[in-house]
C-alpha cells in the first residue's frame, strides 16, 4: 500500500477503503473531464485505475501525450498524425515563453532540455531517455526529437553560417534512414524494431547552435542476418536491394526477380521501410559515393547467396561435407560478389585448421554439417557486423564536430525495448538487461535519490514506497555469482556444455534468489527471470556459443584476401594480428565474451547519463495488434506497473524537482531585495551584498526563508530551505524568475531614465555651447564682412576721387588749349569782323559748361520733349521769373553717369575721346548737323523760332 506523499495516514482500513472508493467514484464519474487532465499529478486519488482511465480517455480523444510529473507518457497512435509533428508546431513550442503552459508534447521536453543547456544558473549537459516496450514508438519519438533540435538549434546570423548549419542538420537527419535500414527489422511486435541500441549526442556550441553529432551503438543483433524467428524478417536493407534494384543492378548483383533466398523470409510483405531510394539519397548526402554504395550492396547480395549454401552430411568424419543440389552455383555467385576464390571459400567453410603442440603444428580437420553451417553463419555475421561498424564510423566522421567547436550536448538514448518471445536467447537477455539498468538509473536518480536527499536535507517528508529492481540486477550481473558470470566461466573453460548442464548449474548456484524462477512444465532446458516488466523464460540452448561469438581465424584470413575494395577496407591485413591470432597454452588471453563487451559499453553509457540532467519519455503500447483506437487495459496496466508510473506521480506531486544550492540561489536571486522596502538587517534581513554568504551555515536556511517571505509575502507553491540547498517546485521557480525579470526591468528603466536625463543635459549644454559658438562666428563673419565693405568703399572712393581729379585735370587742359587757340586766332586775325554778342555769349557758355553738356547728352537717353527742355533750362541757369517753377530730375539721378563723353550723332564722325569743343572751335558758327552733346542743347535753345 503506497503512503500518501503529503504524510497523512490512511486511518483504519474500513474508513480508508470507503473514503478511497468514494473519491474514486467521484473522480471517475466525470468522464468528460478526464481527457482534459494534462498532468497525471492532478489526478486524485492517484491509483492505477484512475491513471488508466485518464490515459484511455485521452487516447480515445486522439490526445497521445500526458505529463506524469517528471515523465512524459507517450501513447503510440498507430496511425499517421502529420499535424502533430509539423514544423509550424515545432516553431510554436520553441517560441513560447513558457512551453509548459502548452499541451504536453515531446517538443515540450525537447525545448526544456534546449533551454536548460543555455541556462545561466548551472548549464549542464542534458539527456533524454526514451524507454518502452518494442513497438511503443521509441524510434519515431527519437526521430521527431532530432528534427526538432535540428530546427531550433540551427539559427545562425550570416548566410554562410546558415549554409553550414543547414548542411550539418541535413547530415544528422540523413543518418536516421541509414541506421534504420541496416539496424532495424520487422519483428512480431513491431514492423520497425531497432535491433541495436544507439546514443546520439547532439553537439552545441556556446551560442547553442548545432555544430555536429556523434552516434554510439550498442549490441547489434547480428545473428538476425543468418537466423530469423518465425514470422519475422531480416534487416530492412536486404529487402530494399531485393525490391528496389534497377535492371542493370540486378544483373550485376545476381538478384533476378522472383529469386528465393533462405535468409530473406517473407519478401512478399511490403512495408514503409522498404524504400531503397531514401537510403541511397541519405548515403549520398553523407559522402558515400555511388561506387562505394555499389560495393556495399554487392557485398550484401553476396551474403544472400551465401545463405543458399547448404551442406549435407558426409557420413565420414575424414571427408568434408558435400554441397546439396544447387548449392554449388550459390557458392560461386557468393564468391564472385565478395571477391573471393571459390575454392578457397568452400575449403574454409568445410575444413577447420587446428594448431597443437609446442611447435604449433597445423592440422586440417573436416567439419561436420552443423559446424559447416555455423562457419557459414559466422562468416555472414562477421561481414555484416564490420560493415555496420564501418557505416557508423563514416556517419560520425561526416557529422561529428571537432572537440573545440562544441561545449555542451543533448543526448538521445534509443535502445531496444523490453522483449519477451516464446523462445528467448542471449539477445533478449542482453536487451532486457539493458532495460533493467535504465530502469535502475531512473529509480536511483529520481525515486530513491530524491527521497533520500529530502531526508538528508532535513525536510519533512513521508517516504513513498516503490518497486526497486536491484535484486533483478544482482541476479543478472551481481558479484560474485550471477548469470553473466556463469556464462563467462563456461566460455573460459572451453569445454562442451549442454543446455541441461547449464540450467542445472544456474539453478544450483543461484538458488534462493527471489528473481529467479523455473518452469517445470517446459520440455526445453530454461530458466525464468522476473524482470520489472514481467517474467521472461530464457532457453539455455546455444547461450554459451552465442556468448563466445567465436570467429575462426581462417575466416578472417580469407576475408583479408578478398579483391573487393570494400572488404579490403573492412578487413585490412595486419601482420601483428596474424602473428598473435593463435596464442598457445598458458599464454592465451582471456576470452572477451559478448556479455562482457555489452556490460562494459553499458557501464560507459550510464557514466555519461550520470553526468547529465536526465529527462524521461515513457512510450506506452496501447495494443499488441498495432491498430489505432484500440486500448487494451490489461496490456497498458502491465506497462504502467512495470515502469513504476504511479510511484513517479506520487513523488512528483509532493516533491520538489528544483534543487539549488544556497550560494547559487543567493547569486541569482539576491536582487529580489529591491522588491521590498528597505529595513534594518535583522534575523531575517537581507543577505550580504557579496556573492558568497557571510552567515553561519546553521542560520543561513532561516535567513533565506525569511528573505523569501519578505520578498514574496505569500508563495503559491511550497518552498523549503534545507541544510545546503533550496527546494522548490516548478511554479515557485517560475514565480521567482518573473519577479527577477521585474527587478531587472525596473533596473533597466532606472538606467534608461538616468541615461536619458544625462543625454538631455548633455544635449542642452551642447546646444548652448553651439549657440555661443554660432553667435561668435556670426559676429566675426559680420565684422569681417563690414571690414571688406569698408575696404571696398575706400577703394571705390579713392578711385572716384582719382578719376574726378583726372577728369578735372583733363578738362582744364582742354580749356586752356581752347582759350589759347582762340586768343591766338583772335590776335592773328584782327581784321576779321567781331562776332555778334549773341554768338559771343553762346561760345562763352559752351566753353564754361561743356562738361555738363556731355553729362546731359549721355543721360538724355530716353528723355524727350518737355523734360529735356527742363533739363536744358536748369543747366543754363535761366532766370526764374516764370510763374511756375518746376523741379527738374535729371537722368543722372536715376541711371547714373555712364560716360561723360558725347556719343557721336548724325553724319559727323569723330573719335569718342575728343571733346566736341574742338569741332566747335573750327566752325565759325554752330550748325545743327555738326554739333553734338551739350552744344546741340545750347543750339536748340537759341534756334530761331524757339519759344
Amino acid at each position: 500500500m503506497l503512503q500518501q506523499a503529503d504524510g497523512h495516514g490512511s486511518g483504519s482500513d474500513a474508513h480508508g477503503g470507503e473514503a478511497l472508493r468514494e473519491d474514486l467514484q467521484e473522480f471517475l464519474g466525470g468522464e468528460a473531464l478526464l481527457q482534459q487532465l494534462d498532468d497525471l499529478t492532478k489526478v486524485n486519488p492517484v491509483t492505477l485505475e484512475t491513471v488508466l482511465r485518464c490515459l484511455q480517455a485521452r487516447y480515445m480523444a486522439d490526445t497521445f501525450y500526458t505529463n506524469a510529473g517528471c515523465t512524459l507518457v507517450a501513447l503510440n497512435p498507430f496511425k499517421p498524425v502529420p499535424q502533430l509533428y509539423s514544423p509550424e508546431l515545432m516553431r510554436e513550442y520553441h517560441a513560447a515563453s513558457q512551453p509548459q503552459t502548452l499541451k504536453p508534447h515531446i517538443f515540450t521536453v525537447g525545448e526544456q532540455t534546449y533551454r536548460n543547456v543555455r541556462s545561466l544558473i548551472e548549464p549542464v549537459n542534458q539527456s533524454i531517455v526514451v524507454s518502452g516496450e518494442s513497438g511503443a514508438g521509441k524510434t519515431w519519438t527519437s526521430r521527431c526529437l532530432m528534427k526538432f533540435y535540428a530546427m531550433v538549434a540551427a539559427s545562425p546570423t550570416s548566410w554562410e553560417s546558415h549554409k553550414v548549419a543547414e548542411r550539418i542538420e541535413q547530415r544528422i537527419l540523413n543518418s536516421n534512414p541509414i541506421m534504420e535500414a541496416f539496424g532495424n527489422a520487422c519483428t512480431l511486435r513491431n514492423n520497425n524494431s531497432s535491433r541495436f541500441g544507439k546514443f546520439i549526442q547532439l553537439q552545441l556550441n556556446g551560442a547553442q547552435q548545432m555544430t555536429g553529432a556523434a552516434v554510439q551503438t550498442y549490441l547489434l543483433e547480428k545473428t538476425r542476418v543468418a537466423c530469423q524467428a518465425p514470422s519475422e524478417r531480416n534487416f530492412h536493407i536486404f529487402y530494399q536491394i531485393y525490391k528496389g534494384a534497377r535492371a542493370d543492378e540486378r544483373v550485376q548483383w545476381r538478384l533476378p526477380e522472383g529469386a528465393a533466398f533462405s535468409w530473406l523470409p517473407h519478401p512478399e510483405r511490403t512495408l514503409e521501410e522498404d524504400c531503397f531510394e531514401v537510403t541511397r539519397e541519405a548515403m549520398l548526402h553523407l559522402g558515400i559515393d555511388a561506387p562505394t554504395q555499389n560495393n556495399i550492396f554487392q557485398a550484401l547480395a553476396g551474403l544472400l547467396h551465401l545463405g543458399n549454401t547448404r551442406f549435407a552430411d558426409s557420413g565420414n568424419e575424414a571427408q568434408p561435407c558435400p554441397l546439396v543440389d544447387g548449392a554449388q552455383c550459390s557458392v560461386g555467385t557468393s564468391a564472385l560478389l565478395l571477391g573471393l576464390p571459390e575454392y578457397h571459400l568452400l575449403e574454409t567453410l568445410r575444413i577447420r585448421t587446428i594448431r597443437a603442440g609446442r611447435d604449433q603444428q597445423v592440422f586440417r580437420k573436416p567439419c561436420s554439417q552443423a559446424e559447416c553451417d555455423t562457419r557459414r553463419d559466422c562468416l555472414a555475421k562477421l561481414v555484416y557486423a564490420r560493415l555496420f561498424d564501418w557505416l557508423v564510423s563514416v556517419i560520425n566522421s561526416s557529422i561529428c564536430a571537432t572537440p573545440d567547436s562544441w561545449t555542451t550536448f543533448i543526448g538521445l538514448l534509443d535502445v531496444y525495448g523490453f522483449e519477451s518471445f516464446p523462445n528467448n536467447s542471449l539477445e533478449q537477455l542482453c536487451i532486457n538487461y539493458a532495460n533493467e539498468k535504465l530502469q535502475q538509473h531512473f529509480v536511483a536518480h529520481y525515486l530513491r535519490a530524491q527521497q533520500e536527499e529530502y531526508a538528508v536535507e532535513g525536510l519533512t517528508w513521508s517516504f513513498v514506497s516503490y518497486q526497486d529492481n536491484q535484486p533483478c540486477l544482482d541476479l543478472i550481473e551481481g558479484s560474485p555469482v550471477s548469470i553473466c558470470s556463469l556464462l563467462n566461466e563456461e566460455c573460459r573453460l572451453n569445454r562442451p556444455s549442454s543446455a541441461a548442464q547449464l540450467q542445472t548449474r544456474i539453478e544450483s548456484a543461484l538458488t534462493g534468489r527471489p528473481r529467479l524462477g523455473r518452469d517445470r512444465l517446459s520440455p526445453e532446458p530454461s530458466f525464468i527471470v522476473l524482470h520489472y516488466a514481467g517474467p521472461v523464460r530464457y532457453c539455455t540452448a546455444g547461450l554459451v556459443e552465442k556468448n563466445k561469438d567465436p570467429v575462426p581465424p581462417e575466416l578472417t584470413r580469407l576475408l583479408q584476401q578478398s579483391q573487393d575494395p570494400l572488404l579490403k577496407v573492412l578487413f585490412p591485413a595486419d601482420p601483428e594480428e596474424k602473428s598473435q591470432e593463435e596464442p598457445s597454452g598458458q599464454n592465451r588471453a582471456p576470452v572477451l565474451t559478448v556479455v562482457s563487451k555489452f556490460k562494459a559499453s553499458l557501464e560507459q553509457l550510464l557514466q555519461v547519463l550520470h553526468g547529465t540532467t536526465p529527462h524521461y519519455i515513457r512510450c506506452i503500447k496501447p495494443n499488441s495488434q498495432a491498430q489505432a483506437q484500440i486500448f487494451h487495459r490489461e496490456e497498458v496496466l502491465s506497462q504502467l506497473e512495470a515502469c513504476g508510473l504511479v510511484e513517479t506521480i506520487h513523488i512528483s506531486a509532493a516533491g520538489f524537482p528544483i534543487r539549488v544550492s544556497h550560494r547559487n540561489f543567493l547569486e541569482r536571486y539576491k536582487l529580489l531585495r529591491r522588491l521590498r522596502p528597505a529595513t534594518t538587517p535583522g534575523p531575517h534581513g537581507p543577505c550580504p551584498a557579496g556573492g558568497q554568504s557571510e552567515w553561519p551555515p546553521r542560520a543561513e536556511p532561516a535567513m533565506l526563508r525569511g528573505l523569501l517571505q519578505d520578498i514574496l509575502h505569500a508563495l503559491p507553491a511550497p518552498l523549503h530551505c534545507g541544510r545546503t540547498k533550496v527546494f522548490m517546485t516548478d511554479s515557485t521557480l517560475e514565480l521567482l524568475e518573473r519577479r527577477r525579470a521585474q527587478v531587472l526591468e525596473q533596473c533597466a528603466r532606472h538606467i534608461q531614465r538616468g541615461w536619458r536625463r544625462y543625454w538631455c543635459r548633455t544635449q542642452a549644454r551642447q546646444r548652448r555651447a553651439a549657440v555661443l559658438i554660432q553667435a561668435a562666428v556670426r559676429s566675426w563673419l559680420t565684422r569681417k564682412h563690414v571690414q571688406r565693405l569698408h575696404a571696398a568703399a575706400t577703394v571705390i572712393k579713392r578711385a572716384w576721387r582719382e578719376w574726378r581729379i583726372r577728369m578735372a585735370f583733363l578738362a582744364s587742359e582742354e580749356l586752356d588749349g581752347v582759350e589759347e587757340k582762340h586768343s591766338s586766332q583772335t590776335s592773328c586775325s584782327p581784321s576779321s569782323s567781331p562776332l555778334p554778342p549773341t554768338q559771343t555769349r553762346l561760345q562763352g557758355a559752351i566753353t564754361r559748361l561743356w562738361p555738363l553738356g556731355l553729362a546731359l547728352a549721355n543721360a538724355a537717353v530716353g528723355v524727350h520733349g518737355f523734360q529735356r527742355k527742363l533739363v536744358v533750362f536748369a543747366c543754363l541757369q535761366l532766370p526764374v521769373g516764370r510763374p511756375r517753377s518746376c523741379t527738374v530730375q535729371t537722368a543722372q539721378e536715376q541711371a547714373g553717369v555712364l560716360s561723360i563723353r558725347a556719343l557721336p550723332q548724325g553724319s559727323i564722325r569723330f573719335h569718342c575721346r575728343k571733346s566736341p569743343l574742338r569741332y566747335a572751335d573750327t566752325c565759325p558758327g554752330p550748325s545743327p548737323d555738326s554739333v553734338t552733346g551739350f552744344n546741340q542743347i545750347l543750339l536748340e535753345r537759341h534756334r530761331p523760332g524757339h519759344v
Side-chain angles (χ1 to χ4, degrees), residues 143 170-184 196 198 235-237 240 273 275-288 293 296-297 384 387-388 390-395 398-399:
R143 187 190 307 170
Q170 191 61 35
R171 286 184 177 181
I172 293 174
L173 295 180
N174 284 329
S175 64
N176 270 333
I178 298 176
M179 302 194 71
E180 290 183 10
F182 285 85
N184 290 19
F196 71 104
K198 65 173 179 281
F235 290 104
H236 293 322
I237 188 62
Q240 290 181 4
E273 291 75 17
C275 187
F276 191 33
E277 293 300 325
V278 174
T279 305
R280 274 183 160 175
E281 185 178 356
M283 296 174 73
L284 193 62
H285 280 93
L286 288 178
I288 305 176
Q293 294 183 28
I296 294 173
F297 303 141
Y384 194 83
L387 176 60
F388 185 81
W390 178 80
L391 284 174
V392 173
S393 65
V394 170
I395 292 174
S398 178
I399 66 177

Side-chain angles (χ1 to χ4, degrees), residues 401-438:
T402 56
D404 57 346
S405 63
W406 60 278
T407 56
T408 55
F409 70 86
I410 299 176
L412 292 178
L413 180 60
D414 177 19
V415 295
Y416 9 59
F418 184 82
E419 292 184 350
S420 178
F421 300 114
N423 294 319
N424 302 283
S425 187
L426 184 67
E427 294 81 12
Q428 282 70 40
L429 178 62
C430 292
I431 289 173
N432 295 336
Y433 168 53
N435 282 272
E436 289 283 352
K437 292 290 288 185
L438 293 177

Side-chain angles (χ1 to χ4, degrees), residues 818-835:
V818 170
E819 291 178 356
E820 291 176 358
K821 185 176 180 179
H822 182 70
S823 61
S824 63
Q825 287 179 359
T826 305
S827 62
C828 291
S829 55
S831 59
S832 59
S833 61
L835 295 174

Side-chain angles (χ1 to χ4, degrees), residues 41-54:
T41 56
K42 301 176 182 178
V43 175
N44 189 21
V46 179
T47 62
L48 280 174
E49 178 65 23
T50 56
V51 171
L52 187 65
R53 291 289 296 275
C54 184

Side-chain angles (χ1 to χ4, degrees), residues 605-654:
L605 171 65
L606 291 176
Q607 288 181 1
V608 175
L609 293 180
H610 282 304
T612 63
T613 301
H615 304 262
Y616 302 94
I617 298 179
R618 296 287 190 180
C619 297
I620 303 296
K621 190 176 182 180
N623 58 83
S624 57
Q625 292 79 22
Q627 296 181 2
Q629 294 295 316
I630 296 180
F631 192 90
H632 288 170
R633 296 171 57 87
E634 293 78 10
E635 297 181 9
V636 177
L637 183 61
S638 63
Q639 297 176 61
L640 295 180
E641 291 176 344
C643 64
L645 189 62
V646 174
E647 294 86 348
T648 304
I649 297 173
H650 272 294
I651 298 177
S652 299

Side-chain angles (χ1 to χ4, degrees), residues 181-354:
F182 285 85
N184 290 19
C186 177
T187 62
L188 292 176
R189 295 189 174 185
N190 187 7
N191 292 337
N192 191 29
S193 176
S194 298
R195 308 318 301 162
F196 71 104
K198 65 173 179 281
F199 181 72
I200 304 174
Q201 190 182 72
L202 303 177
Q203 300 160 348
L204 306 175
N205 59 10
Q208 285 75 47
Q209 298 176 3
M210 189 180 300
T211 60
V215 181
Q216 185 177 0
T217 59
Y218 305 94
L219 190 64
L220 174 69
E221 190 187 12
K222 56 185 178 181
T223 56
R224 183 170 291 271
V225 177
C227 181
Q228 303 83 31
S231 301
E232 293 190 355
R233 300 203 318 173
N234 208 328
F235 290 104
H236 293 322
I237 188 62
F238 291 104
Y239 297 91
Q240 290 181 4
I241 64 174
Y242 178 77
K243 298 178 180 180
R246 298 188 294 267
D248 56 335
E249 294 173 340
R250 290 184 178 276
V251 175
Q252 182 182 0
W253 302 338
R254 304 298 194 276
L255 293 176
E257 295 185 4
F261 296 97
S262 301
W263 289 351
L264 202 67
H266 310 290
E268 70 281 354
R269 296 178 58 182
T270 301
L271 301 179
E272 182 183 355
E273 291 75 17
D274 294 342
C275 187
F276 191 33
E277 293 300 325
V278 174
T279 305
R280 274 183 160 175
E281 185 178 356
M283 296 174 73
L284 193 62
H285 280 93
L286 288 178
I288 305 176
D289 52 12
T292 306
Q293 294 183 28
N294 183 73
N295 294 333
I296 294 173
F297 303 141
Q298 180 176 326
L300 295 177
L303 296 184
L304 289 179
H305 285 281
L306 183 64
N308 287 346
T309 304
R310 300 294 179 184
F311 299 94
D313 190 5
S314 63
N316 186 1
E317 295 183 356
Q319 297 295 327
C321 295
L323 296 172
V324 299
D325 296 339
Q328 187 66 40
C329 180
S330 299
V331 173
T333 305
S334 178
L336 177 64
L337 295 176
L338 295 176
L340 301 172
E342 180 180 353
Y343 173 77
H344 197 183
L345 173 62
L346 191 58
E347 182 183 4
T348 305
L349 294 179
R350 297 191 299 180
I351 298 177
R352 181 175 57 173
T353 302
I354 302 175

